[in-house]
Amino acid sequence: MDQDVIVIGAGPAGLAVAGALAMRGRRAVVLERSADVGSSWRGHYDRLRLHTTRRLSGLPGLPIPRSYGRWVARADLVRYLESYRAHFDIDVRTGVEVTGIAPVVGGGWMVRDASGAEWQAANVVVAAGYNHTRTLPSWPGQDGFTGSIVHAGDYRNPGPYADRSVLVVGTGNTGCEIAQDLGANGAAPVWLAYRTVPNIVRREKAGIPAQWTGIAVRHLPPRLVDRVGALMARSEIPDLTAYGLPRATAGLYSRVLDGAIPVQDVGIIDAIRARRVLPVPTLERFDGADVVLVDGRRLTPDVVLVATGFTTGLASLVGDLVALDARGRPRVLGGKPAAPGMYFLGYTNPISGMLREIAIDARKIAKAIAG
C-alpha cells in the first residue's frame, strides 16, 4: 500500500507529527500496535500527573484544555490525545505491529507488519517512544525468591498491596511516586532502593514551575548548571541523610545528559520524613524469602516492585539502518533525518520537558517533509 508518510506509534509523538503534517496539508498513516492511541499513558499508574505544565505540554495546533488544570492528570491526557486525533482526523490503524523497515531501491521505505502486510512510503517517522520494551534486571537468586516480583508497568494503584511489605527498586519519578502512593495507602513497610542517589527538585517555587528553569538552563554549560543545582538543592531540599537518603553527589545536569531526569517532589520528601517510605541502598541478590542489600542488610518483602523503566526496542527494528547510542536511541534527532526520508521523534527526555520538545521537533519534521 503506497502512502506519503508512515508514522509508527500513536502516542504523543506520533500524533504530534501527524497533526503537524495535517496543518501543512499532508496526510500520514499512523500504525499503532495496541488497540487505541496513547497506549502507554493508558497503562500508567492512576495517580500520575504530568511533571510539565499544561501550557507547555500541548501538541501542535491544539492546546490542552484549561479545565484540565496546571498539572494534567493521566486520564485527562488520554482524553486530550483522543481529541487531538479527532481534531485533525488522523488516520490511525490500530492492531498493526511493525516488525521491519527496509529501504526501497530508488528511494523510500518498505514497512512490514506482523501479519505480513507491506506499506511503502516516501517518508517514515518512527515514534514508538521510550516505553516500548520493559527492562527487568536479573539478580542472583531471583528464581528462588518466594515473594512476588512486579514491574512498575503493571502497577495501577495501591489497593492490591494493602497490609503487604513492598520494596520499590528505582528512584526515578515513577519509583518515588509509586513508593509514596503505597506508603500513604496501607502498604507497610515500604522501602525505596537507590543505586545512585537522585537529584530532587521542587515542582514549583513561588508559583514558578521547575520546567521554566529547565528551559532557561538547557543550553548552558553542564558544569555550571551542576554547581547552581547543588546550591539550590542545599537551600531548598532538606537533608534526608538521617532518614536513609544521603544528598546527591552526581551533578543534576550531568545526570540528565546520562538519561536521569531529576525527581520532582510531589510528596516524596514528606513521605520519607514521616517514615512512610524508607530509603535503602539497592539490592544485591535474593536469598529465599530475603532480599540482601549491597550493604549486607536483609529485608523480607512480600513484593519487589521494579521501577527500572523501559528501552526503545529500536535495535531489532532499525539497528542495521541507523546508528543508535548506548541507550538504544537514534544518534540523529531534533527534526533531522537519520537516513533519507527517515525521522525519529520522542526519543529524548530533556530537562525542558519531553512533550514540549516533541511539539517543537514535530513541526520541524513536518516542515522538512512538506517543504
Side-chain angles (χ1 to χ4, degrees):
M1 290 170 278
D2 291 337
Q3 305 294 334
D4 183 16
V5 184
I6 292 289
V7 178
I8 300 171
L15 295 177
V17 74
L21 283 164
M23 292 167 65
R24 292 179 171 271
R26 301 290 286 270
R27 294 281 292 173
V29 172
V30 182
L31 307 181
E32 168 57 42
R33 65 175 178 169
S34 70
D36 214 330
V37 301
S39 63
S40 63
W41 284 94
R42 293 174 189 275
H44 285 316
Y45 49 96
D46 294 345
R47 65 163 285 152
L48 176 63
R49 289 181 176 270
L50 288 182
H51 297 139
T52 54
T53 67
R54 172 187 58 79
R55 291 183 60 188
L56 296 175
S57 301
L59 304 184
L62 186 68
I64 297 176
R66 180 177 295 182
S67 60
Y68 290 179
R70 170 174 275 191
W71 309 104
V72 179
R74 177 199 63 83
D76 285 336
L77 184 68
V78 171
R79 289 169 54 201
Y80 168 69
L81 296 178
E82 292 171 341
S83 66
Y84 192 88
R85 174 191 181 179
H87 180 79
F88 287 107
D89 191 25
I90 298 173
D91 185 359
V92 179
R93 313 289 177 91
T94 58
V96 179
E97 182 175 3
V98 174
T99 57
I101 304 174
V104 175
V105 176
W109 299 93
M110 184 68 72
V111 177
R112 297 182 178 86
D113 68 24
S115 73
E118 295 183 335
W119 313 70
Q120 186 169 328
N123 300 279
V124 170
V125 182
V126 183
Y130 271 114
N131 295 338
H132 186 276
T133 304
R134 295 180 180 184
T135 59
L136 187 62
S138 178
W139 293 276
Q142 179 175 324
D143 291 342
F145 179 54
T146 57
S148 302
I149 299 177
V150 179
H151 191 277
D154 291 322
Y155 179 86
R156 295 295 175 268
N157 58 67
Y161 303 91
D163 301 319
R164 305 178 75 187
S165 57
V166 184
L167 171 64
V168 180
V169 181
T171 50
N173 280 289
T174 295
C176 288
E177 289 195 28
I178 288 176
Q180 68 191 66
D181 197 23
L182 290 166
N185 293 282
V190 176
W191 299 283
L192 178 63
Y194 62 86
R195 181 178 300 278
T196 301
V197 178
N199 296 99
I200 302 176
V201 299
R202 298 293 189 185
R203 185 167 68 172
E204 57 183 325
K205 182 179 180 181
I208 301 175
Q211 185 181 5
W212 282 110
T213 304
I215 293 170
V217 305
R218 185 182 180 193
H219 298 294
L220 294 178
R223 288 185 180 180
L224 173 61
V225 180
D226 286 347
R227 289 197 294 269
V228 173
L231 292 173
M232 292 179 64
R234 289 192 173 274
S235 66
E236 298 177 4
I237 305 300
D239 187 355
L240 300 173
T241 302
Y243 300 91
L245 187 68
R247 283 199 178 275
T249 56
L252 184 150
Y253 201 13
S254 295
R255 293 214 66 205
V256 169
L257 296 177
D258 287 336
I261 293 296
V263 170
Q264 287 200 1
D265 176 35
V266 293
I268 189 60
I269 291 176
D270 288 345
I272 291 173
R273 296 173 81 174
R275 301 193 186 279
R276 293 191 300 271
V277 173
L278 308 172
V280 295
T282 196
L283 66 87
E284 180 180 78
R285 60 187 174 88
F286 289 90
D287 184 12
D290 291 350
V291 167
V292 182
L293 306 179
V294 292
D295 64 357
R297 276 185 284 174
R298 286 175 174 261
L299 308 176
T300 308
D302 297 315
V303 180
V304 174
L305 199 152
V306 184
T308 50
F310 298 78
T311 62
T312 64
L314 289 177
S316 60
L317 185 64
V318 298
D320 58 343
L321 300 174
V322 300
L324 304 176
D325 66 15
R327 299 201 300 275
R329 304 180 313 169
R331 293 189 179 276
V332 179
L333 293 164
K336 300 176 182 179
M342 176 177 284
Y343 301 83
F344 291 84
L345 182 61
Y347 293 97
T348 61
N349 195 11
I351 196 171
S352 52
M354 177 184 285
L355 291 176
R356 176 180 181 270
E357 299 303 320
I358 280 175
I360 292 171
D361 288 344
R363 291 185 176 95
K364 292 179 180 178
I365 292 173
K367 180 179 179 180
I369 291 174

